[in-house]
């Protein structure tokens, strides 16, 4: 069995948690390390979630500084075959194994790409995308936690997330136009899936014209996705407007698309196509892509340099 060490800051909804599940799904042994925020989500004023969402790594470290790989290795019992790091400004030094970065927020954050063999950016156009060691790897879904439960959907439009002002504005506009709208905050995993299985449509408002992982989740959950139109990675990854989701340019068009999505037959046509399209886009698929791309990269460097990649 192959093994991977995943280094991250572990908060309840971190992308690293999903990738750990993805690597386990393809049969890899997974060891996690880094500091934990416990039940606390640190952005937008902060939020303390239910105790069941507390996320603690196998090897917990301090927030205070970069730490030496040997500190973790000594508690692992050996070297992993791959190290995946989720924070380029914080993390391990002296990693001998293939060392890659998962830049989940490269649409807004910078990453020290020179520290890694490869950098996998969740957004094709974000920070570092012109570097030779950059690979695009968009979001995904977990089929065990994001799926269609075939329930009656009583809510027109739903949204779970930190309620920034632009999200509240959209929710209030839809409500004023006669649609039933439900919002939630602090719901993860099973509760998150239950919420969206009550909703006919899922509202998505990108923060920076970025393709959010929630789009894959909502398609798998059987919701009709209502997305703002200026998200270039949606077309790049193969999502088709009017076939897999509906797009809007302003609040008036959003309300019109939501009214359109109330039609059960029309909505079912799109949601069934979206569920079929999204089926292979899982975290296990993304873990396999990391392994495949890393092996190819290291193989190329052996050929070019006549020895192991550094």
């Amino acid at each position: 069995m192959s093994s991977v060490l995943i280094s991250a800051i572990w908060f309840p909804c971190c992308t690293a948690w999903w990738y750990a599940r993805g690597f386990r799904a393809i049969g890899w042994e997974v060891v996690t390390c880094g500091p934990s925020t416990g039940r606390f989500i640190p952005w937008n004023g902060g939020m303390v979630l239910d105790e069941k969402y507390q996320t603690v790594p196998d090897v917990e470290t301090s927030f205070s500084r970069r730490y030496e790989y040997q500190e973790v290795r000594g508690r692992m019992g050996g070297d992993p075959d791959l190290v995946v790091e989720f924070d380029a400004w914080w993390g391990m030094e002296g990693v001998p194994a293939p060392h890659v970065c998962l830049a989940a927020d490269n649409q807004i954050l910078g990453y020290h790409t020179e520290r890694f063999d490869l950098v996998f950016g969740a957004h094709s156009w974000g920070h570092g995308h012109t570097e030779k060691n950059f690979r695009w790897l968009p979001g995904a879904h977990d089929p065990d936690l994001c799926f269609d439960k075939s329930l009656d959907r009583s809510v027109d439009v739903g949204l779970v997330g930190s309620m920034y002002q632009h999200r509240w504005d959209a929710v209030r506009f839809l409500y004023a136009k006669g649609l039933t709208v439900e919002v939630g905050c602090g719901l993860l995993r099973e509760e998150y899936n239950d919420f969206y299985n009550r909703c006919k449509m899922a509202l998505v408002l990108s923060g920076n014209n970025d393709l959010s992982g929630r789009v894959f989740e909502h398609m798998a959950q059987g919701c009709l996705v209502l997305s703002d139109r200026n998200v270039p990675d949606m077309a790049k990854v193969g999502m088709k407007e009017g076939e897999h989701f509906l797009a809007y340019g302003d609040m008036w068009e959003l309300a019109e698309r939501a009214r359109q999505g109330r039609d059960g037959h029309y909505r079912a046509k799109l949601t069934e196509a979206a569920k079929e399209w999204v089926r292979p886009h899982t975290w296990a698929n993304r873990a396999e892509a990391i392994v495949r791309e890393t092996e190819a990269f290291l193989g190329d460097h052996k050929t070019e340099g006549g020895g192991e990649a550094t």
Side-chain angles (χ1 to χ4, degrees), residues 11-24:
F11 51 89
C13 55
C14 63
T15 307
W17 189 86
W18 295 105
Y19 266 101
R21 287 175 59 88
F23 273 101
R24 291 187 184 104

Side-chain angles (χ1 to χ4, degrees), residues 149-227:
K149 302 175 76 171
S150 301
L151 303 176
D152 291 333
R153 296 175 183 260
S154 58
V155 178
D156 288 331
V157 181
L159 172 63
V160 171
S162 296
M163 293 307 294
Y164 304 109
Q165 188 59 49
H166 68 290
R167 288 178 170 173
W168 276 124
D169 292 344
V171 165
R172 292 187 179 110
F173 192 89
L174 289 173
Y175 182 78
K177 296 303 175 186
L179 291 113
T180 58
V181 186
E182 187 171 338
V183 299
C185 203
L187 303 178
L188 301 179
R189 303 165 197 171
E190 292 87 357
E191 289 180 325
Y192 177 85
N193 195 50
D194 289 344
F195 177 96
Y196 278 107
N197 268 270
R198 297 197 301 271
C199 303
K200 300 178 178 75
M201 292 165 277
L203 177 59
V204 177
L205 298 96
S206 65
N208 194 31
N209 300 332
D210 53 289
L211 173 55
S212 170
R214 66 170 60 230
V215 175
F216 298 89
E217 295 169 344
H218 299 335
M219 288 182 175
Q221 290 163 330
C223 297
L224 175 56
V225 170
L226 304 174
S227 171

Side-chain angles (χ1 to χ4, degrees), residues 260-307:
Q260 205 177 348
R262 273 177 157 176
D263 183 315
H265 292 293
Y266 175 76
R267 187 175 68 253
K269 180 181 176 182
L270 273 67
T271 56
E272 288 304 312
K275 281 194 294 184
E276 185 61 30
W277 179 87
V278 83
R279 195 180 309 278
H281 293 271
T282 64
W283 293 114
N285 170 286
R286 302 302 189 243
E288 287 177 333
I290 290 175
V291 174
R292 184 172 61 250
E293 290 288 337
T294 303
E295 288 177 343
F297 175 83
L298 295 176
D300 289 346
H301 276 241
K302 284 182 184 179
T303 302
E304 291 172 6

Side-chain angles (χ1 to χ4, degrees), residues 234-245:
M234 293 186 83
K236 282 187 178 181
V237 80
M239 297 176 182
K240 297 179 181 179
E241 180 182 345
E243 183 176 333
H244 302 127
F245 68 99

Side-chain angles (χ1 to χ4, degrees), residues 118-146:
L118 286 177
V119 174
F120 294 91
H123 310 283
S124 70
W125 48 269
H127 177 83
H129 75 279
T130 60
E131 300 294 333
K132 289 183 179 180
N133 65 339
F134 180 90
R135 303 290 186 274
W136 178 35
L137 195 62
H141 76 284
D142 186 319
D144 292 328
L145 289 172
C146 291

